Structures are given as structure tokens and as C-alpha cells.
Amino acid sequence: MSVNVKRGRPPGMMDVARLAGVSHQTVSRVLNEHKNVSEQTRLKVRAAIAELGYRPDRAARALVTGTSKVIGVVAQNSSLYGPASMLTAFEEAAQATGFAVNVGSVRSLDERSITEAVERHLDQRVAGLVVIAPVASAGPALEHLPADVPLVTIDGDPERSSTLVTVDQVAGARAATQRLLDAGHRTVWHISGPSDWFDAAGRVRGWEDTLTEAGVEIPPLLTGDWSAASGYRNGQLLARLPDVTAVFTANDHIALGLLRALNEHGRRVPGDVSIIGFDDVPEAAYFTPPLTTVRPDFAAVAMATLDLLMAQVESGPAGVGARRTIAPELIERDSVAGPA
Amino acid sequence: MSVNVKRGRPPGMMDVARLAGVSHQTVSRVLNEHKNVSEQTRLKVRAAIAELGYRPDRAARALVTGTSKVIGVVAQNSSLYGPASMLTAFEEAAQATGFAVNVGSVRSLDERSITEAVERHLDQRVAGLVVIAPVASAGPALEHLPADVPLVTIDGDPERSSTLVTVDQVAGARAATQRLLDAGHRTVWHISGPSDWFDAAGRVRGWEDTLTEAGVEIPPLLTGDWSAASGYRNGQLLARLPDVTAVFTANDHIALGLLRALNEHGRRVPGDVSIIGFDDVPEAAYFTPPLTTVRPDFAAVAMATLDLLMAQVESGPAGVGARRTIAPELIERDSVAGPA
DNA sequence: GCCGAAATTGTGAACGCAAACATGCGTGCG
DNA sequence: CGCACGCATGTTTGCGTTCACAATTTCGGC
């Protein structure tokens, strides 16, 4: 397996063919695992490939086939734990199947930005597209793209997207809310994510539904923006209301901010107030106290996405949109107790 | 700006040329901003491009030029805040200059994994390579790659990498340690990152140097792995030593774990123990208490990287390795006070 | 031992673009 | 007035691969 040391362009199929004493087409066949190639020539070609250190040129292949082994991902350029986790999980999964991942981050998820990012990917002749589009405004951008490009949306609009993978936000929120109710709390407050996020909306719904079914009073909804800062701001308010004994926050970072606000006001967790978060960020176990939270399985989301995408890549964009929902899991730690 | 609704392949340069009444080469010249094109035909061509919704095929261009407008990034597939932040910051910067970013995540930063990732990128004919290689074992993988591919290493080995961008770990660690000393503490303990990380090593050195210069006793070094869990483990130990009054942790997550351990043992921060972290994760301001920490400017790292890379892309791999060091900034919050 | 089908290999084209080379035209200068 | 040079544009070639089709060989059955 000697390295090619010649100058100039790297070796091409022709060079391999010459060395192996066959035609370039035969080399192509070996490369693409065609059936009708004799074992003998296959070996000769393989040997020549190894000797020259030949590597097929992806660009040339993309040119003629009209598609590449690259998947374009459109994601928001943020350090939000959820989206970021999905992204890296997806990358890893895609690489395992021989696909490269092209990330087109986008500053905000408005229609224009997404459209641009999608078009950049289309220029690269990506084999498929994954859009992490958790907000409503992302919807329209995906309506008008070529129908023949495989597309899977993560956390997109359940009403529009044809092929969708989502975490079951409602179920997660229900589990959290119910857990708090079961602990004996009269009701449960909620600090939500931004209202235009589907994730946030789903968590709100799960929370409301559970409360309604329990026949319990529904406290006013507080709105955050996923940040610890917003949890802190809302916490300043909550800390002053003595009858607040249980809070479900839309994510762990909000919970962290809330924790600090509560702490500053001398309210103990879980002694005075119980809290459940969402996401299970790696640090959640080391909050003070360790946070009970809902863990979405991002790896599973990534798998499902890849799965759905590959199905389309292989057989043309699937007809009716396939859906895949990943059920999250409640992780019990120390931030929940009964009311005083 | 009507959308192309024709069947079959998207329009090519020929289609544009025909519509504009020129040759395809003229279209090419307009696209590449060649000088010798009259304003008049330039306009005609532009109009034709817009009317057809023509978009150049990157694959074809890559084939003929031998290079693409894609930058390959090799990074570890982890949710560590630092590397992840650099990655997204870099993506954004690259896109602004018209380059797409291909991420080749890698599960671990050993030589084999990195070599593979690099070769995948080379197959795609990337215009340049960025490797986020914070550990020693990543070095060898970069020795044997074609000399003509532009390469910038982030947080790589100062001894080997020719073109390198790093955060000035030593300076950051010095600032933190000095701040603690200035507050009146007799000495400063340190929980470091994994010893094979350059970042960790630099922080240890800055800490040691400062202590040495101050003529102060150097406590035994405690080692973590960047995780809150490791901060907690080491914290269990530290919390039992009454003479520990100041700790500099290698990152904010370790600080969080330490915070919890201290809290469990009834040691108040900053009353009994002062702490300074590193990274300034968005949540650091909402720890209890808000964490004083060192903030590396990841955006600046990304800019510098892109800068260095572009210089190489334009003029061939630069001769002697250019270096760029980004100075971090101490962010003062509430986790530091004088000794009791 | 001959025919046809299947298996194996080869030939030519095409993919969409940029580079090299070629052309035609005008303009300045001697 | 003619020549050379610069500008604007056109023509040709080839990048490395796959595809459609052709050519050759192999093999079984009768």
C-alpha cells in the first residue's frame, strides 16, 4: 500500500485501468460493486487501486450522477442544547453510512434565511436535506422546494411537514406534570419556551392537558426564551408567591435560572418548591439540587431521521409523509418532593 | 425572478447563453467576474440568469478547477462547550465568505480517526482544512498529508502545527489565579482538564507559573475531565480540607460540580471558598453564586482561523506557520471573595 | 459441434463548467 | 495609412466519472 508520490494530479480511473490492464469502465464497475465482474479482474483492479493510492473523485461522480454522498443539514446557529445535540448525533449516524454532512447554519429561522441555506445546499447537489426547524416561521421556506429532493424535518410543523421526526413533547410534559401532581402538589406552574417554537407549544399543551384532566386550577403561563436568564427573571416573580410549590420548566437552563432566583429569595428546593426541567443537559445532575428532568433521546431522533432520509434517497421522495415520534423519559433526581 | 418550472435537469450555462444571445463562455466570465466583459452583455447575461433561475453547478466547477468552495472541519463529536462554540462560530464566518462547511466529526481524537476524517474531506476536494485538535495524539495524523492543502489547526500542538490558532490558555489561567491571590488567598488550588489536552496543560502552566512567581506554596494538582461529574468528585475531597479557600477550575462545568460538592458539605461560596472557572458558558451567570470565569472569545478564534485559511487558499500554503493567539478576558461575578 | 443466451469486457458519449487558444474589431501611434 | 496591440467574444478541449450500447467470450443443451 505505497503512497502515491508522483507530482501533478492524483491518479484517475484511467491510470488504474492501465495498470490493471483493463478498461476504465471495468474499474468503475469494481468500484460500484457491479455484479458482472470476474473475481480475477476484480482482484487485479483492487491491487492496482491500492498500489496507486487511487481515490475516486467525488466531484466527477456528482457531476454525472447528479447527486452526491452529502447530506445537507440546516440548523440554527445556536448553542441551544437540544438542536446542537441532534446535529452532532446526526452527523455521527450519517458518517457511519458513508454520507458526509454539510452544515448550513443559519442565524435565525426565518423564511429567507432558511431558503438561502437550502439553496446553497441544492447547489452542492446534496443527496438529501435535513432541516431542524422548530419554529413556525420556518414552514413556508420548505413549501417551494423541488419535490424530488429527499427531505426530513426535525421538530417541524406537524401540520405541514410531510416527513417529520419529533420528540414527543406532549408526553414528556405530561410525565413531568403528573409526577409533580403525584407528589401531592395542588397545581403546577410552567415556564415555557418561546411561543413560536413547536417544542415549547407541545410542552405547554402536555402541561395544560394534564392539569385539566386532573381537574386542577391552571396557573397563568409564564414565558421564557430557553435561557437561564429568562428562568431567573420569571423566578423573581415566582419566588414571591408563597403558593407556588411546583414548577415545570421548558428546559434545564430555565430551571437553573429559576433555581438561583428561588435560592436568593430563601426558598429551598425541593423543600419549598419542586422543579422539573426538560432536556437532561449533562450538567443537570450537578445542579443544586440535582435536577429531575425529562430526557429526550437525541440519538434516537438522529437515527430515525437518517432512516427516513435514506428511504427517500433510495426510492425517491416517499409519498405520504412518514412520521416518527421519539418518546422521552423522566429522569428522577432530587428536585422534587411533596408540598410542605 | 420567476422560478424555473421546466421539466428535467435544471438550466445550465448553455441555456443561459442561448437566452442572452451569447456564448456559454461569456456567461462563465460574468459569473466569475472577469474584467473583459462589456457592461451591456454583463447585464443581458445577468437578466437571463435571473429569468431562468440559473444556479451554477458546484460539482462541475469543482471537477474542472480541482477545488471546491467547501472547507472541511474535523472536530470531536462532543458537546464540550469550547469546541462546539468554535465550530458554530467558524461555520457562520465561513458562510459569510461564500464557503460551505463540511463537518467530519470524529468520535475520538486518535490518529486513525483523524486521518480517516481528513481523507474523507480530501475526497471531496475541499479547498481547505480546519482541524480542532486539542490533544497530543492528534498531531501525527497531520504530518503526512499532502503539502498543498491549506490547513489551520485550532488548539493544536504548539510544537508541531505550522499554522495554529489558539486561545491564550496561559494568560487566562494567570489572570484567574492572580485574581484569587489578589483577593488575599494564601494559595490557589486547581482542578485541571485531562492531561493530554493542550488547553488543560496551558491552564495548568499559567496557574503554576503565577503561584511560583508569587512565591507561594503549590498545592497538589487535581485532575478532572471537563465534566461536572469530575468537578463533583474532586470537590468531595476539597470540601474536607479546611485550608482550601480558593480554587481555579479548568472549565465552568467542573466548577459547577465543585459548587455542588461544596454546598453539600456546608461550605459557602464565596464565603468559605472562592472559585473561578473557564469558558463562560451562558449559564455561568446563573450558577449559585454567579461564577467568576475566564471568557475566551470563540468568535475571534473563528475569524482568525478563517483569515489564516483564506490566506493559504489564495496564495498556496503559507511557508512558515503563522500563529494567532486570542487573549481571553476575566469576567468578574460573585464567586470570589477574600478569605474568611 | 452448433446456436443462443448469459456473462464479461470495451467503446463512445455526456455531465456542466473553466482554461487555453482563436477570432474579430477598434484605436493609437508612428 | 498601416500595423500592432488591447479588448470583447467565440470555439475547442478536457476535468474524472457513469451510462448506454456494442463487442467479445463462455457455456449449456441438444
Side-chain angles (χ1 to χ4, degrees):
Chain A
M1 195 150 54
S2 79
V3 173
N4 169 46
V5 213
K6 283 197 310 192
R7 60 179 59 267
R9 295 253 174 178
M13 257 181 27
M14 288 301 226
D15 302 304
V16 175
R18 205 172 306 125
L19 181 60
V22 298
S23 78
H24 64 116
Q25 175 61 331
T26 300
V27 177
S28 172
R29 288 192 179 102
V30 172
L31 254 44
N32 297 310
E33 323 241 88
H34 251 265
K35 39 202 158 202
N36 291 342
V37 180
S38 75
E39 194 58 29
Q40 190 181 345
T41 56
R42 188 192 311 278
L43 257 37
K44 272 194 308 190
V45 171
R46 285 254 157 76
I49 288 177
E51 179 169 347
L52 290 174
Y54 164 80
R55 326 207 87 215
D57 185 324
R58 309 274 198 153
R61 183 178 308 201
L63 177 59
V64 59
T65 61
T67 183
S68 63
K69 281 269 197 179
V70 175
I71 295 172
V73 177
V74 178
Q76 191 177 22
N77 182 6
S78 85
S79 44
L80 287 178
Y81 180 74
S85 299
M86 284 175 192
L87 181 59
T88 64
F90 182 78
E91 273 168 11
E92 193 169 337
Q95 280 180 12
T97 75
F99 278 80
V101 172
N102 216 244
V103 181
S105 2
V106 124
R107 202 184 279 271
S108 72
L109 288 168
D110 56 294
E111 177 169 357
R112 218 176 105 68
S113 304
I114 295 203
T115 303
E116 273 177 27
V118 165
E119 289 185 339
R120 275 200 302 270
H121 280 141
L122 258 24
D123 287 352
Q124 308 273 359
R125 290 190 174 284
V126 293
L129 232 34
V130 173
V131 183
I132 304 180
V135 308
S137 60
L142 302 177
E143 304 269 87
H144 305 297
L145 54 73
D148 62 340
V149 31
L151 167 71
V152 177
T153 310
I154 296 183
D155 281 351
D157 189 341
E159 310 292 320
R160 316 175 94 118
S161 319
S162 53
T163 301
L164 223 205
V165 177
T166 48
V167 169
D168 192 339
Q169 315 287 355
V170 175
R174 294 187 82 111
T177 310
Q178 192 62 54
R179 174 71 185 80
L180 259 5
L181 251 22
D182 289 349
H185 295 277
R186 238 181 3 100
T187 190
V188 177
W189 292 63
H190 180 48
I191 305 178
S192 78
S195 53
D196 58 339
W197 282 59
F198 298 115
D199 304 32
R203 291 170 202 184
V204 168
R205 186 140 48 85
W207 163 74
E208 263 177 2
D209 289 358
T210 308
L211 258 29
T212 304
E213 283 168 22
V216 142
E217 175 205 358
I218 300 185
L221 173 68
L222 301 174
T223 304
D225 63 3
W226 303 125
S227 74
S230 71
Y232 181 72
R233 279 196 303 273
N234 281 292
Q236 300 280 23
L237 199 158
L238 256 22
R240 294 207 188 86
L241 305 172
D243 59 324
V244 173
T245 66
V247 185
F248 164 50
T249 63
N251 75 352
D252 292 351
H253 291 156
I254 293 179
L256 180 66
L258 172 61
L259 236 24
R260 183 179 147 212
L262 257 18
N263 194 286
E264 285 180 2
H265 287 260
R267 307 211 63 189
R268 311 286 303 180
V269 177
D272 300 323
V273 182
S274 290
I275 299 181
I276 295 186
F278 209 111
D279 271 359
D280 192 30
V281 301
E283 293 74 47
Y286 297 91
F287 288 2
T288 307
L291 187 69
T292 292
T293 187
V294 179
R295 178 196 296 167
D297 186 343
F298 296 119
V301 171
M303 297 288 203
T305 303
L306 189 60
D307 211 44
L308 256 26
L309 195 63
M310 286 306 145
Q312 289 187 51
V313 168
E314 276 156 23
S315 59
V320 283
R323 302 279 170 114
R324 216 85 137 227
T325 304
I326 309 297
E329 178 191 3
L330 183 68
I331 306 292
E332 304 258 7
R333 287 199 271 256
D334 308 336
S335 62
V336 174
Chain B
M1 196 148 57
S2 79
V3 174
N4 170 45
V5 212
K6 283 197 310 192
R7 62 176 65 266
R9 296 248 173 183
M13 258 181 28
M14 289 301 229
D15 302 302
V16 175
R18 205 172 307 122
L19 181 59
V22 299
S23 78
H24 65 114
Q25 175 62 318
T26 300
V27 176
S28 171
R29 283 196 264 257
V30 171
L31 254 46
N32 297 309
E33 324 241 88
H34 252 264
K35 39 201 156 203
N36 291 342
V37 180
S38 75
E39 194 58 26
Q40 190 182 345
T41 57
R42 188 190 311 279
L43 256 38
K44 270 194 309 189
V45 171
R46 286 254 156 77
I49 289 177
E51 179 170 348
L52 290 176
Y54 164 79
R55 326 207 87 220
D57 184 323
R58 307 275 200 154
R61 183 179 303 195
L63 178 59
V64 63
T65 61
T67 182
S68 64
K69 281 267 197 180
V70 175
I71 296 173
V73 177
V74 178
Q76 192 176 22
N77 183 7
S78 86
S79 44
L80 287 177
Y81 180 74
S85 300
M86 283 174 191
L87 182 58
T88 64
F90 182 77
E91 272 169 11
E92 192 169 338
Q95 280 180 13
T97 74
F99 277 80
V101 172
N102 218 243
V103 181
S105 0
V106 123
R107 201 183 280 271
S108 72
L109 288 167
D110 57 292
E111 178 169 357
R112 219 177 105 68
S113 305
I114 295 203
T115 303
E116 274 177 28
V118 164
E119 287 185 343
R120 275 200 303 269
H121 280 142
L122 259 24
D123 286 352
Q124 306 274 0
R125 291 191 174 284
V126 294
L129 232 34
V130 172
V131 183
I132 303 181
V135 309
S137 60
L142 303 177
E143 304 268 87
H144 305 298
L145 55 72
D148 63 340
V149 31
L151 168 71
V152 177
T153 310
I154 296 182
D155 280 350
D157 189 342
E159 310 291 320
R160 315 175 95 117
S161 318
S162 54
T163 300
L164 224 205
V165 177
T166 49
V167 169
D168 192 339
Q169 315 288 355
V170 176
R174 294 187 82 110
T177 309
Q178 192 61 54
R179 174 70 185 79
L180 258 5
L181 252 21
D182 289 349
H185 295 278
R186 236 178 11 94
T187 190
V188 177
W189 292 63
H190 180 48
I191 305 177
S192 77
S195 54
D196 58 338
W197 283 59
F198 298 117
D199 305 32
R203 292 171 201 182
V204 169
R205 186 140 48 85
W207 163 75
E208 263 178 1
D209 289 358
T210 308
L211 258 28
T212 304
E213 284 168 22
V216 143
E217 176 206 356
I218 300 185
L221 174 66
L222 300 175
T223 305
D225 63 2
W226 302 126
S227 74
S230 72
Y232 180 73
R233 279 196 302 274
N234 281 293
Q236 299 281 24
L237 199 157
L238 256 21
R240 295 208 187 86
L241 305 172
D243 59 324
V244 173
T245 65
V247 185
F248 164 51
T249 63
N251 76 353
D252 292 350
H253 291 155
I254 292 180
L256 180 66
L258 172 60
L259 236 23
R260 182 178 149 213
L262 258 16
N263 193 286
E264 284 179 2
H265 287 261
R267 308 210 63 191
R268 310 288 302 181
V269 177
D272 300 323
V273 182
S274 290
I275 299 181
I276 296 186
F278 208 111
D279 272 359
D280 192 29
V281 301
E283 293 74 46
Y286 297 90
F287 287 3
T288 306
L291 187 69
T292 292
T293 187
V294 179
R295 177 195 297 167
D297 187 342
F298 295 119
V301 171
M303 298 286 204
T305 303
L306 188 61
D307 210 45
L308 255 27
L309 195 64
M310 287 305 144
Q312 288 186 52
V313 167
E314 278 158 21
S315 59
V320 283
R323 301 280 170 111
R324 215 83 137 231
T325 305
I326 309 296
E329 178 192 4
L330 184 69
I331 306 292
E332 304 258 6
R333 287 199 270 257
D334 308 335
S335 62
V336 175

